[in-house]
Amino acid sequence: MSLLALDDVHVHFATAGGLVRAVNGVSLELAVGETLGLVGESGCGKSTLGKAIVKLVPIAGGAIVVDGVDMAPLTGERLAEMRRKVQMIFQDPYGSLNPRSPVGRSVAQPLLVAGWKKDAAAARVDTLLGWVGLPADAKQRYPHEFSGGQRQRIGIARALALNPKLIICDEPVSALDVSVRAQVINLLEDLKSEFGVSYLFISHDLSVVEHIADRVAVMYLGTLVEIGGRDQIWRNPQHPYTKALLAAAPIADPKAARARQRTILQGELPSPLDPPPGCPFQSRCPIAEARCRHDKPALRPTADGGLTACHFV
């Protein structure tokens, strides 16, 4: 059963230089209880897509359906009700917290907005802080008194406040040290097991995505080029861009790093102001041919059950 369904979603931004097509026709589904990793280079549109799902940025076309409800026409109380089902964890835990408010007030805010009584909200905050491994007296302290990993735990507690069904994790560990990163990832996995929450996990760090994701969607220049199970993506990637991303990812084993095949991308990442015709990856693809310059490939099923947008797969 699909908890999240995106159908041909577009997000555009008007600039002095023209129209930026940040998200350019994305269709995607996320199942109940699933963690879907969304990966790609910086600037590919993955964070913009995450913000569009929670209506922090408007869509220019398509549909976003959460738990069977189309988000586009929702306003006022109906939108507030749907936002209780889908929350977001941001990349910068300090920037997402009010530096002038004690942590307890920040975590309680979504509860109070939803109509909870102060006493009930205060008790809920104690519970939430306990879930993420912070002491109850943390609620009296301010964000600057915590480490980066602790602040991200606070952000997770706030996201869990209203028992959401879906959490958009936008680069939630990219600013953390490696050891702290592992702690936060393990916490997210524990919470998923305990509460059945689903994650859209946005990241450029493939090692993190390999650890946490059930399926992976690969994004390039506002479009999806490959979708597949985690093991399939790592064991047998189909799209040339996916192969290039995996080839560039760090490997702890030096022998394995020397043995793997490298895919060298040519040229610069095109501007979303002026995306290339045909296949969006054709200007950098090592196997591109003439048809790639005018014929955009659609996502098509592959033999191992994934989807790939390439003429030669």
Side-chain angles (χ1 to χ4, degrees):
M1 177 182 177
S2 294
L3 175 61
L4 171 68
L6 311 181
D7 182 17
D8 196 28
V9 173
H10 294 254
V11 179
H12 299 162
F13 299 108
T15 70
L19 192 66
V20 175
R21 296 171 175 84
V23 178
N24 199 16
V26 168
S27 297
L28 191 63
E29 291 191 358
L30 188 153
V32 173
E34 181 181 36
T35 298
L36 176 64
L38 182 61
V39 304
E41 294 171 287
S42 295
C44 71
K46 54 189 187 296
S47 290
T48 300
L49 181 62
K51 292 174 183 176
I53 292 170
V54 295
K55 293 199 73 170
L56 291 179
V57 297
I59 62 173
I64 298 174
V65 178
V66 176
D67 201 23
V69 177
D70 186 356
M71 295 287 286
L74 299 184
T75 58
E77 180 57 35
R78 292 193 64 204
L79 177 59
E81 182 179 347
M82 282 306 300
R83 278 182 169 161
R84 294 167 194 165
K85 297 182 179 182
V86 52
Q87 292 290 310
M88 194 159 188
I89 301 170
F90 295 93
Q91 178 179 358
D92 179 9
Y94 189 71
S96 63
L97 296 171
N98 185 343
R100 298 184 178 182
S101 291
V103 160
R105 187 184 302 168
S106 293
V107 175
Q109 184 179 25
L111 298 166
L112 297 175
V113 170
W116 284 51
K117 301 294 185 181
K118 287 187 176 181
D119 290 347
R124 176 69 168 171
V125 168
D126 290 343
T127 300
L128 291 165
L129 293 176
W131 284 348
V132 300
L134 293 174
D137 63 4
K139 65 184 179 183
Q140 300 166 357
R141 296 155 59 190
Y142 289 82
H144 73 271
E145 299 180 67
F146 295 90
S147 68
Q150 289 173 323
R151 286 196 290 263
Q152 197 57 286
R153 288 171 181 266
I154 294 166
I156 294 170
R158 186 171 62 179
L160 288 169
L162 292 170
N163 291 321
K165 294 185 176 183
L166 170 65
I167 297 180
I168 312 297
C169 305
D170 185 11
E171 300 275 10
V173 296
S174 63
L176 306 178
D177 293 337
V178 174
S179 59
V180 179
R181 189 179 306 171
Q183 294 172 15
V184 173
I185 291 298
N186 290 336
L187 170 63
L188 289 171
E189 289 191 308
D190 291 344
L191 293 171
K192 176 185 174 182
S193 298
E194 186 167 355
F195 301 110
V197 65
S198 302
Y199 297 127
L200 177 63
F201 194 92
I202 300 168
S203 180
H204 67 275
D205 189 331
L206 295 180
S207 63
V208 171
V209 174
E210 183 183 15
H211 183 79
I212 195 171
D214 301 307
R215 287 191 305 131
V216 178
V218 183
M219 197 167 184
Y220 181 82
L221 205 64
T223 66
L224 295 180
V225 297
E226 186 162 4
I227 305 172
R230 175 191 58 197
D231 294 339
Q232 176 255 306
I233 291 289
W234 261 260
R235 184 180 63 252
N236 188 28
Q238 298 295 303
H239 197 278
Y241 179 61
T242 308
K243 294 177 182 179
L245 285 181
L246 292 172
I251 295 180
D253 183 357
K255 184 177 180 180
R258 288 192 298 268
R260 71 180 175 181
Q261 183 178 357
R262 291 280 185 174
T263 302
I264 306 300
L265 297 182
Q266 303 296 323
E268 300 293 330
L269 181 69
S271 169
L273 281 167
D274 186 25
C279 175
F281 189 55
Q282 51 98 348
S283 63
R284 304 172 74 196
C285 181
I287 63 171
E289 296 184 0
R291 67 178 295 191
C292 304
R293 291 192 284 271
H294 56 76
D295 185 8
K296 182 178 180 180
L299 282 167
R300 295 179 299 165
T302 57
D304 51 14
L307 296 169
T308 303
C310 181
H311 295 302
F312 308 111
V313 175

